[in-house]
Amino acid sequence: MPGLGIALPALLFFSCGHAFADPVGNLSPQIVSPAETAVSALRDGLPSIASNAADEALSASATTSERESAFTLKAAAQERILAPEDFLAWLDSVPDDTPKNPADYYRARALSALGRHAEAIPLLEQLRSRLPSDSLLAQPALRDHAYALAAAGRPAEASAVLREAKTAADADQNSIALDLAGLLLSSRQYHEAIELLTPLTAVTNNVETT
């Protein structure tokens, strides 16, 4: 089925704020799959349309990978439509054969949104332990793990998790450095925070003077 292979990178661009490649703009308008329609609708802030298109993609999915991508699109749309408690209830109602990785990822996000970080953290730890390093959920799960730890009052652990993201070649290094510096400051590791922020300040000054 065309489109599902590119759906997840584009989706994660919208749901997590990472600068993943977004191939949607390069698609031929004559060939638009339900998955591509869902991605475009998410980009345009139309989650109801995205949800309907994701349902079509789920119905047409022929492989485990296609089903996982389609469910990820569905969950991303529902997360935007529903309040966190309703989104969590929706996740509780999905069929038993729902792809586990995206279901657990979005469940953890819902729990964090409800302030239930103590429940989200082990779920994200388990998810990260079974995700391959090249999974498109790997980096978003890592960053959500760090944010949940920070929100739970565990900034030192959150910093350690974010340092893992900082070493990833495909990560948004500046964004991660800012996040990590904030956590270091909150745990009074001022020297380490300054070391992280100094290169970013230099880049900003160079941009302003050119």
Side-chain angles (χ1 to χ4, degrees):
M1 174 181 174
L4 281 171
I6 62 109
L8 208 50
L11 165 67
L12 294 177
F13 178 87
F14 307 118
S15 67
C16 303
H18 301 316
F20 286 102
D22 175 16
V24 173
N26 298 324
L27 294 173
S28 167
Q30 289 83 10
I31 307 174
V32 181
S33 72
E36 292 160 355
T37 298
V39 169
S40 296
L42 287 170
R43 291 180 63 196
D44 294 338
L46 301 169
S48 294
I49 292 175
S51 181
N52 291 335
D55 285 335
E56 292 184 47
L58 273 168
S59 296
S61 59
T63 67
T64 299
S65 176
E66 289 178 350
R67 182 168 175 77
E68 183 166 304
S69 295
F71 179 78
T72 305
L73 288 165
K74 177 68 176 181
Q78 292 296 96
E79 184 183 43
R80 288 156 174 76
I81 294 169
L82 301 172
E85 59 272 19
D86 295 327
F87 181 48
L88 188 59
W90 177 80
L91 287 167
D92 288 337
S93 71
V94 297
D96 292 339
D97 62 350
T98 295
K100 183 172 177 57
N101 287 343
D104 282 356
Y105 173 69
Y106 280 100
R107 183 181 303 280
R109 286 174 63 87
L111 289 168
S112 284
L114 292 168
R116 295 163 59 179
H117 307 295
E119 296 173 67
I121 289 167
L123 193 59
L124 287 164
E125 289 173 346
Q126 294 164 18
L127 173 63
R128 291 185 56 216
S129 72
R130 65 176 184 265
L131 284 174
S133 60
D134 60 350
S135 167
L136 289 165
L137 284 175
Q139 285 297 312
L142 185 151
R143 293 186 71 167
D144 281 343
H145 185 197
Y147 299 152
L149 285 166
R154 297 158 62 179
E157 294 172 70
S159 296
V161 169
L162 270 184
R163 287 186 191 281
E164 297 178 46
K166 189 89 170 63
T167 63
D170 63 343
D172 181 349
Q173 297 296 322
N174 289 348
S175 175
I176 291 170
L178 288 170
D179 291 342
L180 181 52
L183 290 173
L184 290 169
L185 288 170
S186 69
S187 58
R188 300 186 179 183
Q189 299 178 63
Y190 303 119
H191 180 70
E192 293 86 346
I194 290 169
E195 285 185 340
L196 273 174
L197 292 173
T198 298
L200 298 185
T201 304
V203 169
T204 301
N205 290 338
N206 287 338
V207 170
E208 290 176 350
T209 56
T210 55

